[in-house]
Amino acid sequence: MDSTTPTNAAEAPKKEKKKPDNIVIPPKKPKLSKAERRELQERQRAAKAAAQTDGGGDAGKPKPPKIEKKEKTSTAPDESKRKLKEEVKKEDPTENETADEVVALFSHLPRPKPPIDIHSVSNPSIHPVITTLGHLYSTHTLLGGNTRCRAMLQTFALLLQSYEPPQTSRDYRHDLDHSLLKPAFQYWTAQCRPHSVSMGNAFSFLKLAVANLDRDLEWSEARQILLESTEAYVNERIEYAGKAVSRHAASKIQEGDVILVFGRSEVVNRLLLDAHRDGKKFRVIVVDSRPLLEGRDTLQILSRAGISCTYVLLNALSYLMMREVTKVFLGASALMSNGSVLSRVGTACVALLAQSNHIPVLVCCETYKICNRVQLESITGNELGDANDVACTDCERVGPSNRWSGEKEKKEEVLDDWKNQPNLKLLNLLYDLTPSDFVTGVVTEVGILPPTSVAVLLREMSPQENNDSAFKGTDY
Amino acid sequence: MTTPHPAITDLTTHLLTPQTKRIPLPVAAIRVLLSTIRRSRAETMMGLQAELREASDVMVDFAKRGGPVETTNDDGIKVTRYLLANRSHTALTSGTHLFLKYVTRASLETPDFTLCKSQVLERGTRFAEFSLAARDRIASTASNFIREGSTILTHGRSSVVEALLLRAATVEKKRFKVIVLEGRPDAGGAKSAKTYDAAGIPTVLILDSAMGYIAERTRIDMVLVGAEGVAENGGVVNKVGTFALGIVAKELGVPFYVAAESYKFTRMFPLNNADLPEVKSEEEDGAGLRLIKFLDTLSWSGDGGGKSSEAQDGSSNNSGSGGGLEKYLVDLPKSISVENPPCDFTPAKYITLLFTDLGVLTPSAVSDELIRLYQ
């Protein structure tokens, strides 16, 4: 048995799995003459064009199915897994945009998936809460590292409460992982929206908690333990961490400060509200950018609390920086181990401009968002948004807070027919990377640290033997 | 007045006794804390910690006020001397905090308090000895950086820098030149210059404002300064003028080295000079006269002033007796305000390396050490 094409892999009987499925061994090519080769090329090109005009189909490479461990004991999870894989292939998201619409340099990045019609999902093994959350992710209703992570953990808590391990299972932890946790997470990441670092770290924590459960525990007890540890994680690493960040950052806010913030960050909002409640007098400049326009939510939150705010778009930044701003507080989606910050696109601009005007930049981030990757620029690891959001310049229609305001009458836009324009492509990136040179300090629940110390935190957070303090040099 | 806190008495004794006068202030404070432990009658760990914390706070407060001490001077008149006038207490704070952290860190295992207390005392004594020996350790590791024939620019009066340079000159017999900034208003640099000269090092003394010109003109090989405190972001708090020197050094491509003991590492994180905690600079003495005097020394020496060398004590440039100094003082009306900050903050980006008793560190390693200690 040699050549297996990807489309047949899933249907192939399980016992023939000698090679992993994602290695494609092409059949031996017959030797063709030049004319024959050209004819073959023409035919293939015509077929491809025909397939594209039909829309959908297998023109692109379908996603290779995941390597699954053999499950001898129960077949039901296998069935659902297979069905899930089929669904993943059928609704291949790469067909949402043709090759012409994607900017070549960013073609490796995950593209926006069309929101799945929740009424039409027929797969019984996917719990409706999973699809609901997925829908919220893909429509950008839930934005922000903390929000998405909390929602994910809440959904898992719900699922855990209704889950019962099958009777024939030898190890309930294995089943839990394979039939509940992994499929849900993969569904969200593959079908809805790539997961954030916060979600990834929380999911790793959950898997670790499952793996640490005692094998002989009763499921009801195990479930209780899992629910408690999930709740503890949210409480300690998100809620209390946020409060600690706010306390540390408060020492840096002085009377008369003009603080600049960008977009919407839960932690930054909290620390500003706390400082205002403590009676400090300062004012805030909220910088916003299209197409998400998250800054409007920040503006609303802060001004309702009585903080005097100014609102500008990103293009007014240089004027403000030179004149008025005394400090910049930024949020983060993730902290890389070399101290660089992955955050909403536009953050790097703000940091760069502040740095060149000698204005201190403080990035506020909880430690659970620290990622052990190193990223040097914004191209290798990023996410693409919907290009149509760039085309529509009507600020009343775009922006997540407006998505549910109903379909307003659509005005005529300059870029309405951008897809028909040759040589025109629209690019909508969601994240960018701020190098550590632009960051003065990182405010975490552990304290304010220089960006070079993020790697130290990573080292300290991983369990290791207690090494004694600074005075190791002498022999004690 | 009520009897002063025993910690204050101990500290004052330390500062006044000739043998212990040259011990750095933080080490003196640590010794005071050790005697507090010995003297303590607390029954629990928390009680002991509370006593130590109280003693530290009292000492820091004493230092902040300038350390006023009632003594009798040579004429038998009771005077108030300001022992720590115009010095930053950053090193004192960080030293005592670190001592507390270090000493109470490993004391959680033993249930028996007397055993615990002796352990604490032992650790504390080790810490004190380590800190006292820190200066020599720095001198030996860092002297490799001083090469034959090099020219070193230094600022302020740091005992660590002095120990370093003296060791390189006398023990390792290296030949190099030292350029010292005068160090207004306490003439600290001028006093250091005498020390270097006595050891046979060719020394050049310049005005503070000449640092840029001289640095570029004589092509210095490195700048070496001490520190009052080392902040978590790797920046240092030191005598005012260090920040400007750092910028000059960076512009000219000259390495900027800071020699500091590890007990000066502190958890503060100044974003810039505006973010430094307020240090009250004593502007006026008891009689309401300004402590800082502005003198046209050029005309004064042209007129024959300063011929007889007067032994000047203290750190403020008080109007001396004789030589007709008064008529060369620039008489400033009250409407002109004078600002005399004692220290400034040099950010990490201007610092090449730190010479510490833990080794030669980059500025980013300071936070690493602090995280490990405060974990």
Side-chain angles (χ1 to χ4, degrees):
Chain A
M1 294 296 160
D2 40 358
S3 48
T4 49
T5 59
T7 37
N8 292 331
E11 274 85 352
K14 291 283 181 197
K15 45 187 185 311
E16 281 187 353
K17 261 209 189 118
K18 290 216 191 93
K19 302 175 187 50
D21 288 342
N22 53 3
I23 293 179
V24 175
I25 301 167
K28 282 221 163 13
K29 283 201 179 118
K31 288 250 190 286
L32 299 168
S33 73
K34 193 166 173 185
E36 284 173 329
R37 265 183 276 136
R38 179 151 334 126
E39 203 199 320
L40 181 64
Q41 251 185 0
E42 294 293 323
R43 252 187 286 134
Q44 280 176 348
R45 206 178 291 151
K48 186 174 176 187
Q52 276 181 358
T53 50
D54 288 345
D58 289 344
K61 234 208 278 202
K63 280 202 167 56
K66 289 269 179 202
I67 302 167
E68 297 287 357
K69 264 191 286 199
K70 279 208 218 183
E71 189 61 76
K72 288 199 194 94
T73 51
S74 53
T75 50
D78 281 3
E79 279 293 310
S80 62
K81 265 180 276 170
R82 218 179 295 146
K83 283 211 191 117
L84 183 62
K85 274 185 276 174
E86 285 168 27
E87 274 206 1
V88 168
K89 276 192 294 293
K90 258 187 271 169
E91 295 155 54
D92 200 335
T94 55
E95 295 328 295
N96 198 31
E97 291 173 41
T98 60
D100 294 332
E101 292 170 7
V102 177
V103 179
L105 185 60
F106 296 93
S107 56
H108 61 284
L109 294 177
R111 293 186 221 139
K113 324 275 192 282
I116 295 162
D117 185 5
I118 42 182
H119 301 299
S120 73
V121 166
S122 53
N123 191 332
S125 69
I126 299 191
H127 199 286
V129 296
I130 299 179
T131 45
T132 314
L133 185 59
H135 189 260
L136 293 176
Y137 282 154
S138 62
T139 52
H140 289 317
T141 315
L142 288 181
L143 283 175
N146 281 352
T147 317
R148 289 165 71 190
C149 181
R150 261 198 220 100
M152 179 186 83
L153 289 176
Q154 276 169 9
T155 309
F156 275 137
L158 268 175
L159 290 169
L160 279 175
Q161 288 185 346
S162 60
Y163 174 79
E164 283 296 334
Q167 299 290 3
T168 52
S169 78
R170 277 195 303 187
D171 189 351
Y172 68 94
R173 303 173 300 180
H174 197 67
D175 287 316
L176 184 58
D177 217 16
H178 272 252
S179 58
L180 186 68
L181 299 180
K182 248 197 209 154
F185 197 73
Q186 277 176 20
Y187 174 80
W188 290 322
T189 304
Q191 300 265 60
C192 309
R193 198 187 153 189
H195 64 90
S196 60
V197 169
S198 56
M199 282 169 68
N201 286 348
F203 186 64
S204 305
F205 161 80
L206 191 54
K207 281 199 292 184
L208 191 64
V210 168
N212 283 343
L213 287 173
D214 198 357
R215 202 191 160 131
D216 305 313
L217 269 184
E218 277 295 319
W219 169 241
S220 51
E221 264 187 74
R223 170 173 43 206
Q224 191 57 32
I225 294 177
L226 279 181
L227 289 175
E228 279 171 9
S229 23
T230 315
E231 199 182 318
Y233 189 84
V234 171
N235 274 338
E236 284 166 29
R237 309 211 60 184
I238 306 181
E239 300 298 325
Y240 290 147
K243 288 188 190 146
V245 167
S246 165
R247 210 166 6 101
H248 288 299
S251 60
K252 292 299 165 203
I253 300 181
Q254 279 139 15
E255 294 283 316
D257 259 346
V258 178
I259 297 175
L260 188 126
V261 299
F262 177 74
R264 179 182 70 203
S265 165
E266 182 186 306
V267 169
V268 173
N269 287 350
R270 179 190 293 223
L271 73 93
L272 290 175
L273 291 172
D274 286 349
H276 181 72
R277 202 178 310 128
D278 290 339
K280 292 205 176 146
K281 300 271 179 300
F282 58 91
R283 59 185 189 89
V284 175
I285 299 179
V286 180
V287 179
D288 208 359
S289 74
R290 277 204 341 109
L292 288 174
L293 293 170
E294 293 167 301
R296 293 189 291 189
D297 295 334
T298 309
L299 182 65
Q300 196 176 62
I301 294 169
L302 296 180
S303 52
R304 279 220 181 122
I307 302 176
S308 66
C309 299
T310 311
Y311 177 86
V312 291
L313 291 181
L314 200 54
N315 46 11
L317 201 55
S318 53
Y319 172 79
L320 287 170
M321 280 290 186
M322 289 193 293
R323 295 296 181 117
E324 307 187 330
V325 178
T326 56
K327 285 187 181 79
V328 176
F329 280 94
L330 298 172
S333 175
L335 279 180
M336 300 299 158
S337 63
N338 64 343
S340 46
V341 181
L342 187 76
S343 189
R344 181 66 69 222
V345 65
T347 309
C349 285
V350 175
L352 165 63
L353 214 43
Q355 172 73 9
S356 50
N357 285 295
H358 305 289
I359 297 169
V361 173
L362 288 170
V363 173
C364 309
C365 184
E366 302 93 333
T367 56
Y368 86 105
K369 288 179 185 159
I370 294 178
C371 175
N372 58 8
R373 263 193 3 233
V374 171
Q375 196 170 325
L376 303 174
E377 29 54 46
S378 312
I379 302 178
T380 49
N382 209 327
E383 192 186 328
L384 289 174
D386 191 357
N388 288 312
D389 285 345
V390 173
C392 172
T393 54
D394 183 359
C395 284
E396 288 201 342
R397 290 192 65 243
V398 255
S401 39
N402 272 3
R403 271 179 205 272
W404 307 115
S405 61
E407 278 300 312
K408 281 214 174 94
E409 186 189 294
K410 192 169 177 304
K411 292 190 277 194
E412 278 243 345
E413 294 274 354
V414 175
L415 289 173
D416 268 345
D417 61 344
W418 68 274
K419 289 188 188 164
N420 300 330
Q421 302 286 343
N423 305 321
L424 179 63
K425 296 185 185 177
L426 297 187
L427 179 64
N428 183 8
L429 283 174
L430 285 177
Y431 293 108
D432 69 13
L433 193 83
T434 307
S436 56
D437 304 333
F438 299 158
V439 178
T440 316
V442 176
V443 190
T444 63
E445 65 259 36
V446 179
I448 310 185
L449 308 169
T452 43
S453 290
V454 175
V456 177
L457 273 186
L458 203 56
R459 184 190 73 207
E460 295 291 319
M461 288 194 307
S462 39
Q464 54 180 340
E465 71 281 4
N466 182 27
N467 37 5
D468 200 351
S469 67
F471 301 95
K472 280 191 330 189
T474 62
D475 39 339
Y476 281 135
Chain B
M1 281 292 288
T2 53
T3 48
H5 197 277
I8 306 280
T9 346
D10 284 346
L11 191 61
T12 322
T13 326
H14 254 108
L15 292 171
L16 290 175
T17 322
Q19 300 98 296
T20 50
K21 237 173 103 159
R22 287 299 288 155
I23 292 178
L25 178 63
V27 182
I30 288 164
R31 285 194 171 170
V32 168
L33 288 179
L34 276 177
S35 47
T36 313
I37 298 176
R38 278 188 214 107
R39 217 184 10 237
S40 158
R41 276 183 295 208
E43 295 290 311
T44 59
M45 202 56 223
M46 293 215 60
L48 182 61
Q49 279 183 9
E51 275 188 34
L52 286 175
R53 229 173 285 132
E54 188 202 342
S56 314
D57 290 340
V58 158
M59 281 195 286
V60 169
D61 186 58
F62 179 72
K64 274 189 192 160
R65 284 182 291 127
V69 147
E70 302 279 333
T71 55
T72 39
N73 69 359
D74 302 322
D75 304 325
I77 305 169
K78 270 201 192 300
V79 287
T80 309
R81 280 184 56 194
Y82 289 86
L83 289 174
L84 304 170
N86 215 32
R87 276 168 70 171
S88 157
H89 51 272
T90 321
L92 177 61
T93 324
S94 65
T96 47
H97 276 172
L98 274 168
F99 176 81
L100 279 168
K101 263 280 164 207
Y102 182 71
V103 140
T104 56
R105 201 179 182 207
S107 59
L108 302 167
E109 303 93 51
T110 11
D112 178 20
F113 182 65
T114 26
L115 186 59
C116 206
K117 189 169 162 183
S118 60
Q119 247 184 17
V120 164
L121 202 54
E122 193 202 328
R123 274 177 85 89
T125 318
R126 241 188 280 146
F127 187 100
E129 282 165 10
F130 188 89
S131 303
L132 190 57
R135 218 189 293 172
D136 298 323
R137 201 173 298 118
I138 295 175
S140 56
T141 40
S143 53
N144 288 327
F145 283 79
I146 300 179
R147 299 214 202 96
E148 283 279 330
S150 54
T151 309
I152 301 167
L153 182 64
T154 179
H155 177 50
R157 189 167 195 203
S158 163
S159 50
V160 186
V161 172
E162 277 184 9
L164 218 174
L165 293 177
L166 288 175
R167 189 201 158 92
T170 53
V171 173
E172 299 187 9
K173 304 274 195 281
K174 289 187 179 158
R175 279 168 299 186
F176 55 92
K177 200 167 87 165
V178 173
I179 303 178
V180 185
L181 298 184
E182 162 202 28
R184 277 264 292 164
D186 61 358
K191 293 173 194 155
S192 305
K194 285 168 74 170
T195 320
Y196 298 137
D197 180 64
I201 307 173
T203 315
V204 176
L205 188 62
I206 61 173
L207 288 181
D208 296 336
S209 23
M211 62 166 108
Y213 173 82
I214 297 286
E216 196 170 41
R217 165 95 182 250
T218 53
R219 316 205 55 218
I220 54 172
D221 298 295
M222 67 154 100
V223 176
L224 180 61
V225 297
E228 298 273 356
V230 181
E232 178 137 26
N233 51 14
V236 296
V237 174
N238 196 25
K239 185 183 166 76
V240 65
T242 313
F243 176 43
L245 195 51
I247 298 176
V248 166
K250 180 134 185 150
E251 259 310 304
L252 298 177
V254 174
F256 187 93
Y257 299 127
V258 175
E261 303 95 315
S262 60
Y263 59 75
K264 289 177 176 165
F265 289 7
T266 163
R267 281 226 96 170
M268 63 175 199
F269 199 102
L271 300 174
N272 48 26
N273 273 286
D275 202 25
L276 270 188
E278 282 290 322
V279 178
K280 185 165 178 295
S281 44
E282 281 293 337
E283 287 310 320
E284 297 176 353
D285 63 13
L289 297 171
R290 274 212 191 84
L291 280 179
I292 300 293
K293 302 291 192 286
F294 296 91
L295 181 65
D296 181 1
T297 51
L298 216 53
S299 311
W300 175 55
S301 29
D303 207 25
K307 281 273 171 61
S308 58
S309 55
E310 290 136 277
Q312 290 252 6
D313 191 23
S315 51
S316 54
N317 193 7
N318 284 319
S319 56
S321 54
L325 211 58
E326 291 84 4
K327 62 178 193 266
Y328 295 100
L329 284 175
V330 179
D331 194 17
L332 294 173
K334 284 278 180 197
S335 51
I336 300 180
S337 57
V338 172
E339 272 198 41
N340 177 34
C343 332
D344 63 23
F345 173 70
T346 310
K349 64 179 176 183
Y350 298 118
I351 300 173
T352 317
L353 289 173
L354 287 138
F355 301 148
T356 72
D357 43 315
L358 305 169
V360 178
L361 308 175
T362 56
S364 25
V366 175
S367 177
D368 194 341
E369 292 294 342
L370 281 170
I371 287 176
R372 272 200 268 152
L373 181 60
Y374 278 84
Q375 194 55 296

